[in-house]
Short mmCIF file of all heavy atoms in Angstrom, two decimals:
data_model
loop_
_atom_site.label_atom_id
_atom_site.label_comp_id
_atom_site.label_asym_id
_atom_site.label_seq_id
_atom_site.Cartn_x
_atom_site.Cartn_y
_atom_site.Cartn_z
N THR F 209 29.28 -7.14 31.23
CA THR F 209 30.11 -6.19 31.96
C THR F 209 29.60 -4.75 31.83
O THR F 209 30.15 -3.85 32.42
CB THR F 209 31.56 -6.23 31.45
OG1 THR F 209 31.52 -6.08 30.03
CG2 THR F 209 32.19 -7.55 31.80
N PHE F 210 28.60 -4.52 31.01
CA PHE F 210 28.06 -3.17 30.85
C PHE F 210 26.95 -2.86 31.84
O PHE F 210 26.48 -1.74 31.93
CB PHE F 210 27.50 -2.99 29.42
CG PHE F 210 28.55 -2.69 28.39
CD1 PHE F 210 29.47 -3.66 28.02
CD2 PHE F 210 28.61 -1.45 27.78
CE1 PHE F 210 30.44 -3.38 27.08
CE2 PHE F 210 29.58 -1.18 26.83
CZ PHE F 210 30.49 -2.15 26.47
N GLY F 211 26.52 -3.85 32.56
CA GLY F 211 25.40 -3.66 33.48
C GLY F 211 25.75 -2.68 34.58
O GLY F 211 26.91 -2.45 34.92
N GLU F 212 24.70 -2.10 35.20
CA GLU F 212 24.90 -1.08 36.24
C GLU F 212 25.70 -1.62 37.41
O GLU F 212 26.65 -1.01 37.90
CB GLU F 212 23.54 -0.59 36.74
CG GLU F 212 22.88 0.47 35.87
CD GLU F 212 23.68 1.75 35.81
OE1 GLU F 212 24.28 2.14 36.85
OE2 GLU F 212 23.73 2.37 34.74
N GLU F 213 25.28 -2.81 37.87
CA GLU F 213 25.90 -3.39 39.06
C GLU F 213 27.37 -3.68 38.81
O GLU F 213 28.23 -3.36 39.63
CB GLU F 213 25.17 -4.70 39.39
CG GLU F 213 24.96 -4.92 40.87
CD GLU F 213 24.30 -6.25 41.09
OE1 GLU F 213 23.08 -6.33 40.90
OE2 GLU F 213 25.04 -7.22 41.42
N TRP F 214 27.61 -4.30 37.65
CA TRP F 214 28.98 -4.66 37.32
C TRP F 214 29.84 -3.41 37.24
O TRP F 214 30.96 -3.39 37.74
CB TRP F 214 29.01 -5.42 35.98
CG TRP F 214 30.35 -5.98 35.66
CD1 TRP F 214 31.44 -5.31 35.20
CD2 TRP F 214 30.76 -7.35 35.80
NE1 TRP F 214 32.51 -6.15 35.02
CE2 TRP F 214 32.10 -7.42 35.38
CE3 TRP F 214 30.11 -8.51 36.23
CZ2 TRP F 214 32.82 -8.60 35.39
CZ3 TRP F 214 30.83 -9.68 36.22
CH2 TRP F 214 32.17 -9.73 35.81
N GLN F 215 29.31 -2.36 36.58
CA GLN F 215 30.08 -1.12 36.42
C GLN F 215 30.42 -0.52 37.77
O GLN F 215 31.53 -0.03 38.00
CB GLN F 215 29.27 -0.11 35.60
CG GLN F 215 29.25 -0.40 34.10
CD GLN F 215 30.56 -0.06 33.43
OE1 GLN F 215 31.16 0.98 33.69
NE2 GLN F 215 31.04 -0.96 32.59
N ALA F 216 29.45 -0.56 38.69
CA ALA F 216 29.71 0.01 40.02
C ALA F 216 30.84 -0.74 40.70
O ALA F 216 31.76 -0.15 41.29
CB ALA F 216 28.44 -0.05 40.86
N LYS F 217 30.76 -2.07 40.62
CA LYS F 217 31.81 -2.88 41.23
C LYS F 217 33.16 -2.62 40.57
O LYS F 217 34.20 -2.59 41.22
CB LYS F 217 31.46 -4.37 41.08
CG LYS F 217 30.34 -4.85 41.97
CD LYS F 217 30.31 -6.37 41.92
CE LYS F 217 28.89 -6.86 42.11
NZ LYS F 217 28.74 -8.26 41.71
N GLN F 218 33.11 -2.39 39.23
CA GLN F 218 34.36 -2.13 38.49
C GLN F 218 35.00 -0.83 38.96
O GLN F 218 36.21 -0.75 39.18
CB GLN F 218 34.04 -2.07 37.00
CG GLN F 218 35.25 -1.86 36.11
CD GLN F 218 34.87 -1.99 34.63
OE1 GLN F 218 34.20 -2.94 34.23
NE2 GLN F 218 35.29 -1.03 33.85
N ILE F 219 34.18 0.18 39.11
CA ILE F 219 34.71 1.48 39.56
C ILE F 219 35.30 1.35 40.95
O ILE F 219 36.38 1.87 41.24
CB ILE F 219 33.60 2.55 39.53
CG1 ILE F 219 33.20 2.85 38.08
CG2 ILE F 219 34.04 3.81 40.23
CD1 ILE F 219 31.99 3.71 37.95
N GLN F 220 34.60 0.63 41.82
CA GLN F 220 35.11 0.47 43.19
C GLN F 220 36.46 -0.22 43.15
O GLN F 220 37.40 0.15 43.88
CB GLN F 220 34.11 -0.34 44.00
CG GLN F 220 34.49 -0.48 45.47
CD GLN F 220 34.66 0.88 46.12
OE1 GLN F 220 33.76 1.71 46.13
NE2 GLN F 220 35.84 1.12 46.69
N ARG F 221 36.57 -1.25 42.28
CA ARG F 221 37.84 -1.99 42.16
C ARG F 221 38.96 -1.08 41.68
O ARG F 221 40.07 -1.12 42.18
CB ARG F 221 37.65 -3.16 41.21
CG ARG F 221 38.83 -4.08 41.14
CD ARG F 221 38.45 -5.46 40.61
NE ARG F 221 39.62 -6.33 40.62
CZ ARG F 221 40.43 -6.50 39.59
NH1 ARG F 221 40.19 -5.88 38.45
NH2 ARG F 221 41.49 -7.30 39.69
N MET F 222 38.64 -0.23 40.70
CA MET F 222 39.65 0.69 40.17
C MET F 222 40.11 1.67 41.24
O MET F 222 41.30 1.99 41.35
CB MET F 222 39.08 1.48 38.98
CG MET F 222 39.04 0.69 37.69
SD MET F 222 38.00 1.45 36.44
CE MET F 222 39.02 2.78 35.91
N LEU F 223 39.17 2.11 42.07
CA LEU F 223 39.55 3.04 43.14
C LEU F 223 40.40 2.33 44.18
O LEU F 223 41.37 2.88 44.70
CB LEU F 223 38.30 3.63 43.80
CG LEU F 223 37.54 4.64 42.92
CD1 LEU F 223 36.20 4.96 43.56
CD2 LEU F 223 38.35 5.90 42.73
N ASP F 224 40.03 1.08 44.46
CA ASP F 224 40.81 0.32 45.43
C ASP F 224 42.23 0.11 44.92
O ASP F 224 43.18 0.10 45.70
CB ASP F 224 40.15 -1.03 45.70
CG ASP F 224 38.80 -0.85 46.38
OD1 ASP F 224 38.58 0.25 46.95
OD2 ASP F 224 37.97 -1.78 46.33
N MET F 225 42.37 -0.08 43.60
CA MET F 225 43.69 -0.30 43.01
C MET F 225 44.48 0.99 42.86
O MET F 225 45.63 0.96 42.50
CB MET F 225 43.53 -0.89 41.59
CG MET F 225 43.24 -2.36 41.57
SD MET F 225 43.56 -3.05 39.94
CE MET F 225 42.24 -2.36 39.01
N ARG F 226 43.82 2.10 43.16
CA ARG F 226 44.44 3.42 42.98
C ARG F 226 44.88 3.63 41.53
O ARG F 226 46.03 3.95 41.24
CB ARG F 226 45.65 3.64 43.90
CG ARG F 226 45.38 3.45 45.38
CD ARG F 226 44.52 4.62 45.90
NE ARG F 226 44.53 4.69 47.35
CZ ARG F 226 43.72 4.01 48.16
NH1 ARG F 226 42.81 3.18 47.64
NH2 ARG F 226 43.80 4.12 49.47
N VAL F 227 43.95 3.41 40.59
CA VAL F 227 44.26 3.64 39.18
C VAL F 227 44.49 5.13 38.95
O VAL F 227 43.69 5.96 39.34
CB VAL F 227 43.06 3.17 38.30
CG1 VAL F 227 43.18 3.69 36.90
CG2 VAL F 227 42.98 1.65 38.30
N ASN F 228 45.66 5.46 38.32
CA ASN F 228 46.01 6.86 38.00
C ASN F 228 45.76 7.80 39.17
O ASN F 228 44.93 8.68 39.13
CB ASN F 228 45.23 7.36 36.78
CG ASN F 228 45.67 6.66 35.52
OD1 ASN F 228 46.78 6.16 35.44
ND2 ASN F 228 44.80 6.62 34.53
N PRO F 229 46.51 7.57 40.29
CA PRO F 229 46.17 8.33 41.50
C PRO F 229 46.63 9.77 41.49
O PRO F 229 46.23 10.55 42.33
CB PRO F 229 46.89 7.54 42.60
CG PRO F 229 48.04 6.92 41.91
CD PRO F 229 47.63 6.66 40.49
N ILE F 230 47.55 10.12 40.50
CA ILE F 230 48.14 11.46 40.60
C ILE F 230 47.30 12.46 39.80
O ILE F 230 46.87 13.48 40.30
CB ILE F 230 49.59 11.43 40.09
CG1 ILE F 230 50.40 10.45 40.92
CG2 ILE F 230 50.20 12.82 40.15
CD1 ILE F 230 51.58 9.88 40.23
N GLU F 231 47.09 12.11 38.54
CA GLU F 231 46.42 13.10 37.67
C GLU F 231 45.10 12.59 37.16
O GLU F 231 44.33 13.35 36.61
CB GLU F 231 47.30 13.42 36.45
CG GLU F 231 48.62 14.06 36.81
CD GLU F 231 48.52 15.58 36.82
OE1 GLU F 231 47.47 16.12 36.41
OE2 GLU F 231 49.50 16.22 37.23
N GLY F 232 44.84 11.30 37.24
CA GLY F 232 43.73 10.69 36.49
C GLY F 232 42.57 10.29 37.34
O GLY F 232 41.98 11.08 38.09
N PHE F 233 42.22 9.02 37.25
CA PHE F 233 40.95 8.51 37.77
C PHE F 233 40.85 8.66 39.28
O PHE F 233 39.96 9.34 39.80
CB PHE F 233 40.82 7.04 37.34
CG PHE F 233 39.48 6.45 37.60
CD1 PHE F 233 38.40 6.78 36.80
CD2 PHE F 233 39.28 5.58 38.67
CE1 PHE F 233 37.17 6.22 37.04
CE2 PHE F 233 38.04 5.03 38.91
CZ PHE F 233 36.98 5.35 38.11
N SER F 234 41.79 8.02 40.00
CA SER F 234 41.69 8.02 41.47
C SER F 234 41.99 9.39 42.06
O SER F 234 41.61 9.66 43.20
CB SER F 234 42.64 6.98 42.07
OG SER F 234 42.38 5.72 41.53
N ALA F 235 42.69 10.22 41.29
CA ALA F 235 42.98 11.55 41.82
C ALA F 235 41.70 12.35 41.98
O ALA F 235 41.64 13.27 42.79
CB ALA F 235 43.92 12.28 40.86
N LYS F 236 40.66 11.95 41.23
CA LYS F 236 39.42 12.72 41.31
C LYS F 236 38.53 12.23 42.43
O LYS F 236 37.45 12.76 42.67
CB LYS F 236 38.68 12.61 39.97
CG LYS F 236 39.44 13.19 38.80
CD LYS F 236 38.51 13.45 37.61
CE LYS F 236 39.24 14.16 36.52
NZ LYS F 236 39.93 13.27 35.57
N TRP F 237 38.91 11.16 43.08
CA TRP F 237 38.07 10.61 44.14
C TRP F 237 38.60 11.09 45.49
O TRP F 237 39.76 10.99 45.78
CB TRP F 237 38.10 9.08 44.04
CG TRP F 237 37.33 8.38 45.13
CD1 TRP F 237 37.85 7.76 46.24
CD2 TRP F 237 35.92 8.20 45.21
NE1 TRP F 237 36.86 7.19 47.00
CE2 TRP F 237 35.65 7.46 46.39
CE3 TRP F 237 34.85 8.58 44.40
CZ2 TRP F 237 34.35 7.10 46.77
CZ3 TRP F 237 33.56 8.21 44.80
CH2 TRP F 237 33.32 7.49 45.97
N ASP F 238 37.73 11.57 46.31
CA ASP F 238 38.08 12.03 47.65
C ASP F 238 37.95 10.83 48.58
O ASP F 238 36.85 10.44 48.98
CB ASP F 238 37.11 13.14 48.05
CG ASP F 238 37.51 13.81 49.35
OD1 ASP F 238 38.42 13.29 50.05
OD2 ASP F 238 36.90 14.85 49.67
N TYR F 239 39.11 10.20 48.94
CA TYR F 239 39.06 8.96 49.72
C TYR F 239 38.58 9.22 51.13
O TYR F 239 37.98 8.37 51.77
CB TYR F 239 40.45 8.29 49.73
CG TYR F 239 40.72 7.55 48.43
CD1 TYR F 239 41.39 8.19 47.39
CD2 TYR F 239 40.30 6.25 48.25
CE1 TYR F 239 41.63 7.53 46.20
CE2 TYR F 239 40.53 5.58 47.07
CZ TYR F 239 41.21 6.24 46.04
OH TYR F 239 41.42 5.57 44.86
N LYS F 240 38.84 10.44 51.64
CA LYS F 240 38.46 10.72 53.01
C LYS F 240 36.94 10.79 53.13
O LYS F 240 36.33 10.15 53.98
CB LYS F 240 39.08 12.06 53.44
CG LYS F 240 39.08 12.27 54.93
CD LYS F 240 39.96 13.46 55.32
CE LYS F 240 41.42 13.07 55.19
NZ LYS F 240 42.33 14.14 55.63
N ASN F 241 36.34 11.55 52.23
CA ASN F 241 34.89 11.75 52.33
C ASN F 241 34.10 10.79 51.47
O ASN F 241 32.87 10.88 51.40
CB ASN F 241 34.52 13.19 51.92
CG ASN F 241 35.21 14.21 52.81
OD1 ASN F 241 35.40 13.96 54.01
ND2 ASN F 241 35.58 15.35 52.24
#
Side-chain angles (χ1 to χ4, degrees):
Chain F
T209 52
F210 279 69
E212 277 296 324
E213 220 183 281
W214 187 284
Q215 283 286 316
K217 287 191 211 164
Q218 182 173 312
I219 291 171
Q220 184 57 57
R221 187 160 182 266
M222 282 165 76
L223 289 169
D224 295 340
M225 281 197 289
R226 304 289 195 274
V227 166
N228 291 337
I230 301 155
E231 297 269 353
F233 189 76
S234 304
K236 298 197 174 88
W237 176 258
D238 187 350
Y239 282 93
K240 196 168 286 184
N241 300 325

